[in-house]
Amino acid sequence: LTPVDGLRLFGALAYTDAKYTAPFDSNPNNNPAIDDDLQGRAVARAPKWAGNIGADLRLPLGNALEFGITGNM
């Protein structure tokens, strides 16, 4: 059921629990001031939640032509 003929609404939602599961060497020079045990820590720039929403509109313009526009964020 859509409020306008030719309109399609869509969306998605995702959950990610990204963590280092094995030892990772973040200290290649073995600097003792740097803690290089990342195991069990969250991964940088990996959001817990992500999603998008969007709409697609298709309108017939005669027998063999169709106007379409899509947007999402």
Side-chain angles (χ1 to χ4, degrees):
L1 180 68
T2 59
V4 176
D5 286 340
L7 178 65
R8 183 176 67 99
L9 304 173
F10 54 89
L13 183 64
Y15 173 77
T16 304
D17 189 18
K19 288 187 172 60
Y20 290 97
T21 59
F24 180 80
D25 186 9
S26 65
N27 186 5
N29 297 326
N30 293 321
N31 183 341
I34 298 175
D35 179 17
D36 66 347
D37 183 14
L38 298 179
Q39 188 170 358
R41 292 188 187 177
V43 177
R45 296 190 177 102
K48 289 255 184 217
W49 292 95
N52 75 339
I53 56 171
D56 181 59
L57 180 63
R58 303 279 174 200
L59 300 172
L61 299 176
N63 291 337
L65 192 60
E66 180 180 79
F67 171 78
I69 188 166
T70 302
N72 64 56
M73 56 188 254

